[in-house]
Amino acid sequence: MGTPAEDCIEFLERICWGGTPQCPYCQSTNSTAIRQERRYHCNTCFNSYSVMVGTLFHGSKVPLAKWFRAIHLYLDKDLKIKSLSTRDLASRINVNKNTAASMLKRIRSSLESDKRLLKAILSKRLEDSDGTE
């Protein structure tokens, strides 16, 4: 078991790629791992990428563990929005209110575009709290 960040990235790789990295730019699976950065280099289109490209986490400096916690606090298991203010989220995951507002905006946007990812993250949190996995 690695750090929380490594665990989150491994989890995302399992649910997004099923264990085989796929380039988000050309959909090729012909890639080489760049281990120091948890990124991959596509040998077809020559771009580098990580599992976060094309997700709500792309370009964010907020640690994935905080993202996962925010999703768990903001949504229930049926993807219904819970009553949670920006300031409340900010204090509960220890970020400033502007960061929390940006995170909530991205989560709401993902409700329309990437429900499968959000459901998988919510189910992971439920499994972790049950002590099973």
Side-chain angles (χ1 to χ4, degrees):
M1 184 166 249
T3 66
E6 290 172 350
D7 292 345
C8 290
I9 289 173
E10 287 174 12
F11 175 74
L12 284 177
E13 287 178 351
R14 275 195 319 273
I15 61 173
C16 292
W17 294 336
T20 304
Q22 182 179 21
C23 177
Y25 305 108
C26 71
Q27 282 64 52
S28 170
T29 56
N30 183 16
S31 61
T32 306
I34 305 171
R35 291 285 177 212
Q36 299 86 359
E37 302 177 26
R38 290 298 300 213
R39 295 181 65 79
Y40 298 86
H41 172 77
C42 179
N43 296 323
T44 304
C45 70
F46 306 109
N47 284 306
S48 73
Y49 61 93
S50 75
V51 70
M52 293 186 276
V53 173
T55 67
L56 72 157
F57 314 116
H58 189 192
S60 173
K61 294 181 180 178
V62 177
L64 281 175
K66 287 187 180 189
W67 271 106
F68 282 26
R69 177 134 170 81
I71 290 167
H72 180 65
L73 291 169
Y74 190 59
L75 300 172
D76 68 13
K77 65 181 167 89
D78 298 320
L79 296 182
K80 301 278 191 265
I81 296 174
K82 295 179 185 176
S83 177
L84 181 71
S85 72
T86 300
R87 289 183 185 265
D88 189 28
L89 177 64
S91 67
R92 291 176 79 174
I93 65 170
N94 198 24
V95 296
N96 71 43
K97 67 177 177 59
N98 295 336
T99 301
S102 174
M103 291 172 75
L104 291 177
K105 182 178 177 182
R106 286 187 184 202
I107 294 169
R108 281 191 297 270
S109 174
S110 287
L111 279 172
E112 298 169 11
S113 62
D114 205 357
K115 288 183 179 181
R116 185 183 66 86
L117 176 65
L118 294 174
K119 281 186 177 185
I121 291 169
L122 288 169
S123 68
K124 177 183 176 18
R125 292 296 263 156
L126 292 173
E127 288 171 1
D128 289 350
S129 64
D130 290 345
T132 62
E133 189 167 59

